[in-house]
Amino acid sequence: MRADPAEYRLVSPGNLQAVLSLLAGESAQWLPIAGGTDLMVLYSAGKLPNRKLINIWNIPELRQIEVFPDSIRIGAACTYTALRRHDIVTREFPLLATAASWTGGIANQNRGTLGGNIANASPAADSLPALLVYDAEVSLISVRGERQLAYRNFHMGYKKTALAADELIRGISLPRRFSGYFSHARKVGARNAQAISKVCLAALGQMANGTIRDARLALGSVAPVPLRLNDTENALTGKKIEPSLIEMARTSVVTEIRPIDDIRSTARYRAAVAANLVAEFLEKLAAEGARA
Amino acid sequence: MNLSAETGAKCEVLFTVNGEAKKVLAHPMERLLDVLRNELGLTGTKEGCGEGECGSCSVLLDGMLVNSCLVPVAQASGASIVTIEGMWAHSLMKPLQEAFLECGGAQCGICTPGMILAAVHLLEKKPEPAAADIREGLAGNLCRCTGYMQIFEAVASATRRRVAR
Amino acid sequence: MRSASLQERHIVGVSMPRKEGWNKVTGAARYVDDMVLPGMLYGATVRSNVARGKIRTISFDPSIAWDEFVLATAKDIPGKNCISLILDDQPCLASEIVNHPEEPILLLAHEDRHKLRKAVEAVSIEYEPLPSVHTMEESEQQSTIIWGADNTFKSYVVEKGDVDAVWKEAAYIVEGEYLTGAQEQLYIENNGVIAVFDPENGVTVWGSLQCPYYVHKALMALCGLPGDRIRVVQMETGGAFGGKEEYPSMIAGHAALLSIKSGRPVKIVYDRMEDMVATTKRHPSRTRHRTAVNKNGQILGGEIEFTIDGGAYATLSSVVLSRGTIHSGGPYYWPSVRIRTKAVATNTPPHGAFRGFGAPQSLFAMERHMDRIAQVVGISPVEIRRRNFLKPGQSTTTEQTIREGIDLDRLLSRALELSDYTAKQTRFAKENKEGMQKKGIGIAAFLHGAGFTGSGERYLNSLVGVEAGGDGNVRVLVSSAEFGQGTNTVLCQIAAEALEIPYESVAIAQPDTTVVPNSGPTVASRTAMIVGKLVQSAAKGIKQMLTKTGLLADDYTPEQFRSACAEYVTAHGALNSYARYEAPRDVYWDDEKYRGEAYAAFAWAVYVAEVTVDLTTYSVTVDDFVALQEVGKVLHPVLAEGQIAGGVAQAIGFALYEKVVWQNGRMINNQMTNYIMPTSVDLPPIRVFFEELGNVHGAHGAKGIGELPMDGPAPAIINAVEDAIGVRFRSIPLLPEDLFEALRPESLQQDALSSTRGKA
């Protein structure tokens, strides 16, 4: 344990307004902490520079999952366990439920939160590609009010987000229009559990009249931010899935991503696996389409 | 919670540990693991990694399995915590203890408290787990001695014992 | 003669309850960090951050109130500044020169752990860098000398027969080079000790350790104190695997120095990052084979060159080298062989003991090489082994004649049956034609010598005691440590059976050097076999004392035993019996020529690994594992199975997951999140089977089994990978990134070219 608790403050206002006031009053000084599964690791290693933390684990509004006819809104402090247990999430948003099951072991899923995953903004985070393909919208709240932001615009660079200094992630909305899609997710890590991903794919596809009506692809760990493969998607739309298309998609994927060498893996490996995962998805989508 | 607490000030945390009301004076960012071990003398919960990877610090917090090395004690305020020392009161404990002893689920013993807590958590949620459920339920608890085989057997055996009762 | 009431009852061979099991499942077991002493300080180590250099200046940041701290440097060492082991070249604290990153330089202690950590960070050390060496190749080139005259800690040459004559007779000459990486023991409990010095009793140390008397010896030299003023006590130890064989002497020395300086108890417990970066790991290795084979695939002879990286100081490298040397020929008959081996120095924290101790390294090479020979000759991996297995009456590479009735051919057949090998091969060949998942199956056949090599056990001269109280309860007195493998349980079983009393009546003393004799270190798979046999003798000695004094008949009940003890103790005082190791008369070893009976007993094994190679992710998963071994006698079925399963799991990690990433001699992935150990969802069902041939030199015919399971899985797995995708990997750990690189078209071309070599 390489941090001195005496050098840190952790306050627990217990209600959202008080949290927002603190964030507004001494902006850029207070860091919200929910489940702590990212922050406490940094803290224990002596690598958490923020000395002032606000507890948001106990804010009820942040822990609800609200279901509406056209969307669901997931409170930012909903845990992965809560996501895995929610009927609508598992049925209509399987990519998110699956990602939740991949994040750490059960103990970490009981504490880790979706909002925390987003705010921490690691490009390797497991749930973020799913949010991209589901066209998620984030609600950001401050004393100035609440605003919606398309999640695809949230990450601006490596660990740089659109979150203002006085803002808190309030919730994540997902439109309920993906039930008819074929979904496929694959995480590639150093082992089958408790692993930071080397490459992670969340994919949705819909076929119509033997061609791709809609393909949605997002990858983690291949760029400074979780990446939606817009170019590759566009090149796939309206096409028939055959070997030449899959080859084209592979090349397109490799062109779109910007993987690096790091302590976990290499850029070349990541590129090759990313291409493989997309190819695998397309083959499965074709098989699914043939079945329909 | 004292909102105006200055840096360096300790605060009072009230919670229930193993069924007993406890009050500790601690820095809010003190790890729950350290408070349990050092303030409360409950040394059955272990530190293996300090990064939430090995699970040897697992405890039950309001019925949820958590890694206590990643919980600031302030967040445990008002919570009910169960550690290995409190497990004697749990209905699953006897079948698990017997099974672990009979099947060889504990070798060096350092991962055992966490494993047992993880097993309790699993069996509470899934009273008749399939083999894959057991593997998944314990995936956050690392054991270097057993290769996991006899731990799985122990959990499966405890399940049968409990069902038989 | 057995008493009638115990006739049907056996204790040895039955899975008796683990002696300290109850404490472990209730959380009551006390490990060193669970203990706190009044007035205790915490200790920490200031370590070097260069690989090699001269210490120029040490400065202390004035923002820290240094007078609050206890500080110890090399100058404070009362005795010799070394961690006494074999060559005594490793300093306890560096004074002028550092030879590896994270080398200890000075020690600090304080009541407050947080202030202590900040103080460690506030010490700045400036070095004059010296050229450093980071690979075995650089070291053996000797352009930079970092140790001794030639960077070589130790070397051996083993020669049998006339190797130079075989090449011209060979139908094939097969070459290969095989590499294994460092591996971290990763016991879940980090290294830790508490030391107390007081002028009257001297130094007392409680620690997480395997060898109390190693620590005892090291502290005598370091503290300049006689043996009766050093006391070492082993606490419950949360895993060790060799990682707490020699290293505890270092951390105990540090705590002792701080305690001597301060007059207060000092606890040093590492966190995971420090433990991984600063303590010992498995020796990396490089093996080169050049083998002459006849047209039937039988080995005529060959040359084996085996080199291990010892790190910056000698520590145990000579012994690791020895074991690796002796095992390098595998379970095969070599009519002639020349084995040249050496341990070389690099500027990295010294490598040390880890389960297997050199054998997993050289056996990886041998078993990969056998599959290669099979390919060149054009026969199967099964057949090549059948044609080369040692048979009773034949001699090993060190000319040890196999005297027991081991039938490796039959053992192999049984392993193939248990793993459904033939049917699976056929099925895989068909299934692999399509899809991205390629399946393969591979075998490894091997042996593992139990006990210290050659004259080692004679040198250890182990002593064991058994004492009986007036209440008829018996206590086993050994320095053998329990760290999960079942020492406590097995030794009590042996004593109970020898005395024909209930298992519950026998306890084992906590290893405390003021209480127990030196039964040798808890290493080398020697405890059940060698120490167990001594426990048996000592227990029988108790019986003899009672029968000789007429207090007990030859045939007795446990109640009668109890009364006899009561009478004896009343009349004569303490009732105890000691037994000392006696070298078997027919075991002869030549240390000069490195020839003869290397080990009193070998355990034999054939392992089979079934894998899936996923060509989408380039990852290898082990789907099924069969571990079949002949172990003399299974003393405790559950413990034995647990040892094998645990060892196989570690070896799967060795093969596929556990990579130490080095940067200038320092491990940079020193966190559990980046050093990858298999979890419960990564491992296959590990199916364990035993055979028992007995062993005259072991208690109840037992051979050692603790390290055996570490030797076979890695080559079996890599053989299976080659079976699946036809790529000849020669280096472990084999990570998906490595597999990917090897499958790139350019790499495959290169490999195809090099595999045409091997035809004479």
Side-chain angles (χ1 to χ4, degrees), chain A residues 9 34 43 55 110-111 194, chain B residues 5 7 29 53 65 67 75:
Chain A
R9 282 176 73 179
Y43 164 72
N55 180 18
N110 285 340
R111 287 275 293 174
Q194 299 259 100
Chain B
T7 304
M29 277 296 277
E53 289 281 324
L65 188 74
N67 288 323
Q75 286 188 338

Side-chain angles (χ1 to χ4, degrees), chain A residues 222-256:
Chain A
V222 295
V225 299
L227 200 64
R228 179 90 183 257
L229 302 185
N230 297 306
D231 296 344
T232 306
E233 288 178 13
N234 291 336
L236 289 172
T237 311
K239 306 285 199 311
K240 190 155 159 252
I241 303 179
E242 41 195 17
S244 56
L245 184 76
I246 296 180
E247 265 322 291
M248 183 281 304
R250 289 174 150 278
T251 313
S252 177
V253 168
V254 173
T255 315
E256 256 194 286

Side-chain angles (χ1 to χ4, degrees), chain A residues 248-269:
Chain A
M248 183 281 304
R250 289 174 150 278
T251 313
S252 177
V253 168
V254 173
T255 315
E256 256 194 286
I257 62 180
R258 284 113 61 203
I260 57 171
D261 292 337
D262 64 14
I263 201 161
R264 275 179 289 279
S265 189
T266 65
R268 283 216 299 228
Y269 172 82

Side-chain angles (χ1 to χ4, degrees), chain A residues 5-12 33-34 40-41 43-44 53 55 57 84-85 106-108 110-111 191 194, chain B residues 1 3 5 7-8 27-31 50-53 64-67 70-72 74-75 121 125 136 139:
Chain A
E7 289 176 1
Y8 292 78
R9 282 176 73 179
L10 171 61
V11 297
S12 292
I33 177 170
M40 291 298 282
V41 176
Y43 164 72
S44 285
L53 298 125
N55 180 18
W57 178 251
R84 289 182 73 185
R85 285 184 186 166
I106 301 291
N108 287 339
N110 285 340
R111 287 275 293 174
R191 58 189 177 195
Q194 299 259 100
Chain B
M1 259 307 101
L3 239 180
T7 304
H27 296 295
M29 277 296 277
E30 203 86 56
R31 301 182 307 176
E51 2 160 0
E53 289 281 324
M64 299 290 258
L65 188 74
V66 300
N67 288 323
L70 298 184
V71 179
Q75 286 188 338
H121 187 257
K125 311 277 182 272
E136 198 212 351

Side-chain angles (χ1 to χ4, degrees), chain C residues 273-603:
Chain C
M273 289 192 277
E274 181 173 17
D275 196 293
M276 290 179 89
V277 84
T279 73
T280 62
K281 292 174 194 43
R282 185 183 297 287
H283 290 66
S285 78
R286 182 193 71 211
T287 313
R288 291 174 177 150
H289 275 271
R290 186 162 185 261
T291 320
V293 173
N294 70 15
K295 65 175 165 53
N296 293 321
Q298 283 163 317
I299 295 171
L300 298 172
E303 285 179 326
I304 305 176
E305 187 216 294
F306 175 67
T307 304
I308 60 175
D309 176 349
Y313 297 106
T315 61
L316 291 177
S317 292
S318 57
V319 200
V320 174
L321 184 69
S322 161
R323 188 171 276 275
T325 302
I326 294 168
H327 287 75
S328 59
Y332 304 111
Y333 176 59
W334 292 75
S336 65
V337 71
R338 181 180 297 125
I339 309 173
R340 272 192 273 240
T341 70
K342 62 186 190 294
V344 299
T346 60
N347 296 109
T348 206
H351 295 299
F354 188 171
R355 199 173 195 170
F357 206 75
Q361 292 96 316
S362 65
L363 284 167
F364 170 74
M366 185 70 249
E367 282 306 280
R368 281 298 290 135
H369 196 60
M370 284 309 273
D371 268 29
R372 177 62 183 147
I373 295 174
Q375 268 171 4
V376 169
V377 173
I379 60 179
S380 73
V382 171
E383 199 50 42
I384 191 72
R385 288 168 172 86
R386 291 198 194 285
R387 293 182 189 183
N388 285 288
F389 276 146
L390 277 165
K391 294 187 180 52
Q394 288 182 324
S395 71
T396 66
T397 51
T398 66
E399 298 186 61
Q400 174 167 2
T401 305
I402 302 303
R403 284 197 261 259
E404 59 183 337
I406 182 66
D407 184 347
L408 289 169
D409 193 69
R410 194 197 51 76
L411 198 70
L412 173 58
S413 296
R414 186 168 173 224
L416 298 179
E417 203 184 293
L418 289 167
S419 58
D420 207 18
Y421 180 87
T422 313
K424 282 182 177 169
Q425 269 205 320
T426 312
R427 207 178 78 214
F428 296 165
K430 217 172 82 180
E431 288 173 5
N432 284 351
K433 293 204 173 90
E434 282 174 16
M436 297 295 274
Q437 316 250 11
K438 307 296 181 191
K439 298 211 49 134
I441 191 161
I443 59 181
F446 56 102
L447 77 181
H448 199 91
F452 264 45
T453 307
S455 41
E457 286 297 335
R458 198 177 287 127
Y459 163 75
L460 283 178
N461 204 20
S462 301
L463 184 64
V464 158
V466 172
E467 72 182 14
D471 55 3
N473 286 329
V474 165
R475 216 161 65 122
V476 174
L477 306 171
V478 291
S479 62
S480 306
E482 170 70 59
F483 37 87
Q485 80 287 45
T487 302
N488 292 348
T489 305
V490 166
L491 296 182
C492 288
Q493 282 176 281
I494 291 171
E497 178 129 345
L499 287 168
E500 298 176 87
I501 60 176
Y503 173 72
E504 295 71 29
S505 304
V506 183
I508 183 161
Q510 182 179 21
D512 175 337
T513 55
T514 57
V515 174
V516 303
N518 187 353
S519 59
T522 323
V523 304
S525 309
R526 60 187 294 277
T527 303
M529 182 175 116
I530 292 179
V531 180
K533 193 141 173 108
L534 292 174
V535 168
Q536 203 176 32
S537 304
K540 288 184 177 155
I542 296 278
K543 215 196 296 194
Q544 275 161 22
M545 287 162 86
L546 293 173
T547 53
K548 275 213 187 84
T549 50
L551 293 170
L552 201 60
D554 281 337
D555 195 11
Y556 57 87
T557 65
E559 296 71 38
Q560 287 167 337
F561 177 84
R562 212 177 299 128
S563 322
C565 289
E567 282 191 63
Y568 186 101
V569 168
T570 309
H572 304 277
L575 173 56
N576 49 40
S577 157
Y578 286 82
R580 190 175 285 285
Y581 176 78
E582 269 171 38
R585 263 166 283 262
D586 55 356
V587 171
Y588 176 72
W589 174 255
D590 184 335
D591 257 322
E592 294 293 310
K593 301 206 186 76
Y594 237 61
R595 193 184 291 166
E597 317 272 329
Y599 299 99
F602 286 104

